Amino acid sequence: MSAHVLQVKVLDPRFGREWELPAYATAHSAGMDLRAALEAPLRLEPGATALVPSGLAIHIADPGLCAVILPRSGLGHKHGIVLGNGTGLIDADYQGPLMVSLWNRAAQVFEIAPGDRIAQLVLLPVVRAVLQVVDTFEESARGQGGFGHTGVR
Ligand SMILES: O=c1ccn([C@H]2C[C@H](O)[C@@H](COP(=O)(O)OP(=O)(O)OP(=O)(O)O)O2)c(=O)[nH]1
Ligand SMILES: [Mg+2]
């Protein structure tokens, strides 16, 4: 398994004192959990979204990589706490504060405490494209079929 060195700026001094830096929970975890670097508990009303600081900045630097912010499955499935932007995409040249858009899609209020692990960060390879304009595509098995055209069973 390869590990990539990722530069991180600690923007919130509670990291290292009260909170551990994001880390892989198991030997083969794909994501590391991001914490809510909040000053006070946040009551997220049903349907509400909030932009929550992670207390960190990262600089991926390598254009062959990006990071995505994904929901934690327990929060998303059991409590309806998912991301207001679907998935967060972190560009390799982004150096600003890493933010998490949290959306309470549930019918109940959900409270988030400072330091709670709210989402996860996954580093991914990127292939960047150069567009080549054409008039026709070489025939393929699927052609223009999509959106369920292969059926259900
Ligand atoms: O959940 C997220 C999503 C994005 N970002 C940061 C990193 C990313 O590199 C930058 C821009 O994100 P994106 O391109 O998705 O947003 P945009 O609305 O297109 O903004 P921009 O015009 O700055 O590209 O915002 C976050 O901190 N958290
Ligand atoms: Mg953009």
Side-chain angles (χ1 to χ4, degrees):
M1 195 186 68
S2 65
H4 182 82
V5 176
L6 179 63
Q7 289 199 338
V8 60
K9 270 190 197 167
V10 175
L11 306 179
D12 192 306
R14 289 171 289 186
F15 282 105
R17 296 183 196 161
E18 297 171 43
W19 307 334
E20 286 174 21
L21 279 175
Y24 294 103
T26 67
H28 295 174
S29 293
M32 36 185 157
D33 289 344
L34 298 175
R35 295 184 188 277
L38 293 165
E39 293 307 322
L42 172 70
R43 268 176 66 87
L44 206 53
E45 300 289 334
T49 53
L51 199 55
V52 177
S54 70
L56 302 168
I58 60 170
H59 183 208
I60 299 169
D62 182 342
L65 296 173
C66 71
V68 291
I69 300 177
L70 300 174
R72 291 187 68 198
S73 53
L75 282 181
H77 179 70
K78 294 182 199 153
H79 303 289
I81 303 301
V82 293
L83 302 177
N85 49 352
T87 303
L89 176 61
I90 314 304
D91 300 290
D93 52 1
Y94 182 69
Q95 300 180 326
L98 200 57
M99 304 296 287
V100 180
S101 171
L102 280 189
W103 172 35
N104 182 0
R105 63 165 183 80
Q108 286 80 37
V109 172
F110 190 80
E111 193 166 288
I112 298 142
D116 280 359
R117 291 181 287 124
I118 50 169
Q120 54 188 327
L121 184 79
V122 178
L123 208 56
L124 292 176
V126 167
V127 177
R128 301 183 77 224
V130 174
L131 298 186
Q132 180 188 27
V133 177
V134 297
D135 292 326
T136 53
F137 294 131
E138 192 183 317
E139 195 179 313
S140 76
R142 174 175 287 273
Q144 298 193 23
F147 297 90
H149 98 294
T150 61
V152 175
R153 300 182 75 91

